[in-house]
Amino acid sequence: MKPIKLIIALMVFAVALTAKAAPLLNGLALEQQFNKDRYIAAVYSETLADSASALLDNNTPRRLEVRIVADSLSARRFRNQWMEGIAINNSSNVLSSQAENMVTFAKLFSGRYQKGDRLTIDFEAGTGTTKVALNGIALGEIADRDFFNTLLRAWIGPVPPSTDFRDGLLAAGDVPPSLLGNFELLEPSSERIAQLTALLSEEEEEASTEETAVAAAQPAPKAKPNLASDIPPPSLAAASAQPQTPVKEAAPKPAANTPKPQPAKVAATKPTPPPVQELEEEEDEAPLTADLILARQLYHSMLLRHTFKYITYPKRAQERGQEGSVRLNVTIDPQGRVKDVQPLQESRYASLNREAREAVKRASPFPAAPPQLARDSYQFTVPITFRLPN
């Protein structure tokens, strides 16, 4: 009997180890814009954690997952928002070292996501490989142990989309049942999976044909431009801490003139951007290169550092214990002058929303765009967190 009991005990132990190794849902966060739900983000980890440092352990298998809530969502707009978060939550050294990987990652996003689509990004601790899939269909992989954390910092770093978003992902498994229920109901249909499979197959064939043609006619490669001379590398460590430290401790300043928040490229006050507009933006996008991505990320961090200098915490809001996050979409002209300000997400308090808009106005003119990014206008997102010292 003892040998049998020993075998059973070993089997139970093996099952326990397997269960422990399975990814656990660490947290969920709902992303909204214009007061409309866009997607639910999730972080899975072998070990539950309530701190960013613990989740950034690159010896631990982890997964990022996005399930689309909106009926339709531009994949590139989603990707660009993520790239902005990467820019302000990673050091300039990390951005430089990951530029080529970011090109590979960015090219995995095309078309439009539909409600129920599931984007998964898995990190294999053993190999250090990050694998990306959409609805279970493999899109690509990046064999760099540090790349996954570069993505994750955009969600749980010092400047997340909002403090609520970050807190939701750092829940250590304590997720709201209602949000979890909605998350689990979001599934792609079999028709959608078949559609994506066919589209990806066509894209692979076209890409293969184009690569063959380009290789045959490709001239000798040119030397890469020295980005360090085009854009002074910013200290992103200082920029990352900026939104909270100055906002908490800076003495209140006199309010500026009454703000005139206006939407970017849209006439109404709080519209939902039409799909046609999104498609036009996608068609106008320049071909992605490591130099272009790095230039965008460094310039974006420069714009945010400039904005953070002008943020003050309204005195009355401090006295009343009011806290919150505001996210604005700002459009500037080639000289850095503000053309439009569009609220993507607002706090519950009018004074905090007003101060965020006024800070952008006070910051104008912004640093001019570098030559490789110069266009009639440049858009960037500003996340601002008002949080009182503990």
Side-chain angles (χ1 to χ4, degrees):
M1 291 294 292
K2 287 184 178 180
I4 295 177
K5 290 183 178 179
L6 179 60
I7 292 173
I8 293 175
L10 289 174
M11 292 175 63
V12 171
F13 181 68
V15 171
L17 286 178
T18 303
K20 182 180 180 181
L24 304 172
L25 179 59
N26 197 80
L28 295 174
L30 176 64
E31 164 66 1
Q32 294 180 314
Q33 285 192 14
F34 308 105
N35 295 320
K36 291 190 176 182
D37 299 344
R38 300 177 75 224
Y39 59 83
I40 301 175
V43 173
Y44 292 83
S45 177
E46 186 179 88
T47 305
L48 297 179
D50 60 2
S51 69
S53 59
L55 275 184
L56 290 168
D57 178 4
N58 64 5
N59 293 313
T60 303
R62 287 155 296 158
R63 165 183 282 193
L64 306 181
E65 185 168 335
V66 173
R67 300 195 185 186
I68 306 301
V69 179
D71 291 332
S72 180
L73 178 65
S74 165
R76 288 184 180 175
R77 286 174 66 90
F78 167 79
R79 175 205 69 192
N80 290 343
Q81 179 191 351
W82 202 338
M83 300 281 270
E84 287 183 344
I86 290 169
I88 56 181
N89 286 283
N90 288 277
S91 69
S92 55
N93 289 336
V94 170
L95 295 179
S96 297
S97 66
Q98 295 295 334
E100 292 288 351
N101 289 334
M102 290 306 305
V103 173
T104 301
F105 180 72
K107 289 181 177 179
L108 302 180
F109 295 81
S110 63
R112 306 189 67 79
Y113 294 143
Q114 297 180 11
K115 185 172 184 176
D117 280 350
R118 298 173 59 187
L119 178 71
T120 56
I121 302 172
D122 287 286
F123 175 72
E124 296 180 351
T127 63
T129 301
T130 297
K131 297 185 176 182
V132 183
L134 179 62
N135 296 335
I137 304 169
L139 299 181
E141 61 181 52
I142 296 169
D144 187 318
R145 181 168 291 277
D146 296 324
F147 181 69
F148 185 87
N149 279 352
T150 305
L151 301 178
L152 180 54
R153 288 191 192 98
W155 287 2
I156 64 172
V159 193
S162 71
T163 52
D164 288 341
F165 189 92
R166 177 175 56 193
D167 292 345
L169 297 177
L170 296 176
D174 185 17
V175 299
S178 58
L179 186 59
L180 177 60
N182 293 336
F183 180 75
E184 292 177 337
L185 288 174
L186 293 168
E187 295 279 354
S189 65
S190 57
E191 291 81 5
R192 172 61 172 165
I193 294 174
Q195 177 193 40
L196 286 174
T197 303
L199 287 173
L200 289 172
S201 179
E202 291 177 6
E203 290 178 0
E204 288 176 358
E205 291 180 4
E206 291 176 1
S208 178
T209 303
E210 289 177 2
E211 287 177 3
T212 302
V214 170
Q218 187 70 31
K222 297 180 180 179
K224 292 185 177 180
N226 182 1
L227 284 175
S229 62
D230 294 337
I231 308 174
S235 173
L236 287 182
S240 296
Q242 203 79 19
Q244 296 176 8
T245 303
V247 171
K248 293 180 189 175
E249 301 174 1
K253 296 181 182 179
N257 294 332
T258 304
K260 295 187 288 184
Q262 297 177 0
K265 299 185 180 181
V266 186
T269 304
K270 287 186 180 180
T272 299
V276 173
Q277 180 71 38
E278 294 184 359
L279 292 174
E280 289 175 354
E281 291 176 1
E282 292 176 4
E283 292 171 356
D284 292 341
E285 185 177 63
L288 290 173
T289 64
D291 295 331
L292 181 61
I293 285 180
L294 184 58
R296 283 180 181 172
Q297 291 179 322
L298 296 181
Y299 182 49
H300 185 73
S301 68
M302 187 186 302
L303 295 173
L304 289 190
R305 285 185 309 168
H306 180 79
T307 307
F308 295 154
K309 297 175 184 178
Y310 295 87
I311 301 172
T312 61
Y313 209 136
K315 184 176 180 180
R316 182 165 294 184
Q318 293 185 60
E319 293 172 346
R320 295 179 177 179
Q322 296 175 347
E323 299 179 326
S325 295
V326 182
R327 194 148 33 109
L328 304 173
N329 191 65
V330 181
T331 303
I332 57 177
D333 66 16
Q335 288 71 46
R337 295 185 295 259
V338 173
K339 296 173 64 176
D340 292 302
V341 180
Q342 180 176 342
L344 297 178
Q345 180 182 359
E346 295 184 314
S347 73
R348 294 185 299 162
Y349 304 106
S351 62
L352 301 184
N353 301 331
R354 182 169 56 252
E355 167 56 26
R357 295 191 296 267
E358 291 180 352
V360 171
K361 289 181 59 181
R362 292 194 295 268
S364 183
F366 286 82
Q372 61 267 55
L373 299 179
R375 298 181 64 179
D376 292 339
S377 62
Y378 186 88
Q379 289 189 8
F380 62 101
T381 303
V382 180
I384 300 174
T385 295
F386 295 91
R387 176 170 286 184
L388 296 167
N390 295 328

